[in-house]
Amino acid sequence: MRSRTALLSSFFLSSWTDRMWEFGAALLLILVDKKSLVLPSVYGIVQSLSVVLFGSMVGSWIDFSDRLRAVRLSLFVQNLSVALCAITLGALLEYDLRGTSQVIALTIFFLVSCCAKLGSVASSLCVERDWVVVVAAEDKDALAAMTARIRQVSLVYVFHAQLLPPP
């Protein structure tokens, strides 16, 4: 029971921070160009396309790699990418970059944000595919309940992340 609570708590906090970053990044992109919603829209489209185009490759990589190594690497890539995105957005806002400098900074931001999204997908897949199954052991009811709870947490944060303050 303790391991189930720890796993669900970890997934809960991870989902929360992922969704908060996605929402916060979109708000910061609005500050870069206050007259248009093009940048947040491009951000959402680029992230979605990265998952559509490269999500199966990430899943295949997870299937053929050591799970603990995969989780560690995916979390490292995700956290490093989020940090680089934050630095890029900070530079855009602090130095009021315009013209070619702005285009380069935004291109870097969008490409690195794709890495962050794919890292998030990889860590979620590791938890959903393997860790839930291991923690549930042979108990099919526990597996169904944990899988349902993880889906609920994920869906709640997709719609309500902007309403909840960070942990």
Side-chain angles (χ1 to χ4, degrees), residues 4-15 127 131:
R4 291 179 188 170
T5 304
L7 181 65
L8 290 174
S9 298
S10 172
F11 188 79
F12 171 80
L13 293 171
S14 177
S15 295
V127 169
W131 293 5

Side-chain angles (χ1 to χ4, degrees), residues 141-155:
D141 292 332
L143 177 61
M146 288 178 68
T147 303
R149 184 69 60 198
I150 283 177
R151 288 286 101 217
Q152 287 174 338
V153 166
S154 185
L155 290 173

Side-chain angles (χ1 to χ4, degrees), residues 8-95:
L8 290 174
S9 298
S10 172
F11 188 79
F12 171 80
L13 293 171
S14 177
S15 295
W16 192 349
T17 55
D18 286 351
R19 302 302 182 259
M20 290 298 291
W21 166 249
E22 290 172 4
F23 180 71
L27 289 179
L28 291 172
L29 286 169
I30 291 171
L31 292 176
V32 171
D33 184 7
K34 294 176 181 150
K35 297 177 184 176
S36 173
L37 294 176
V38 170
L39 293 178
S41 299
V42 170
Y43 172 65
I45 289 170
V46 166
Q47 282 200 327
S48 296
L49 279 175
S50 71
V51 173
V52 168
L53 295 175
F54 302 112
S56 64
M57 289 172 46
V58 169
S60 295
W61 171 71
I62 289 169
D63 285 341
F64 294 109
S65 64
D66 175 57
R67 297 301 195 260
L68 186 56
R69 183 177 174 273
V71 169
R72 286 180 178 163
L73 184 60
S74 65
L75 288 173
F76 175 76
V77 167
Q78 180 184 6
N79 291 333
L80 180 63
S81 299
V82 168
L84 291 173
C85 284
I87 290 168
T88 306
L89 280 175
L92 274 165
L93 294 170
E94 180 67 26
Y95 300 112

Side-chain angles (χ1 to χ4, degrees), residues 60-140:
S60 295
W61 171 71
I62 289 169
D63 285 341
F64 294 109
S65 64
D66 175 57
R67 297 301 195 260
L68 186 56
R69 183 177 174 273
V71 169
R72 286 180 178 163
L73 184 60
S74 65
L75 288 173
F76 175 76
V77 167
Q78 180 184 6
N79 291 333
L80 180 63
S81 299
V82 168
L84 291 173
C85 284
I87 290 168
T88 306
L89 280 175
L92 274 165
L93 294 170
E94 180 67 26
Y95 300 112
D96 198 31
L97 300 176
R98 297 287 173 222
T100 306
S101 300
Q102 184 183 40
V103 170
I104 290 170
L106 287 170
T107 302
I108 291 169
F109 171 79
F110 290 134
L111 291 175
V112 174
S113 72
C114 290
C115 294
K117 184 64 174 180
L118 291 172
S120 173
V121 167
S123 60
S124 291
L125 284 175
C126 286
V127 169
E128 292 172 15
R129 280 190 188 173
D130 295 319
W131 293 5
V132 168
V133 175
V134 169
V135 169
E138 299 292 323
D139 188 355
K140 300 261 186 222

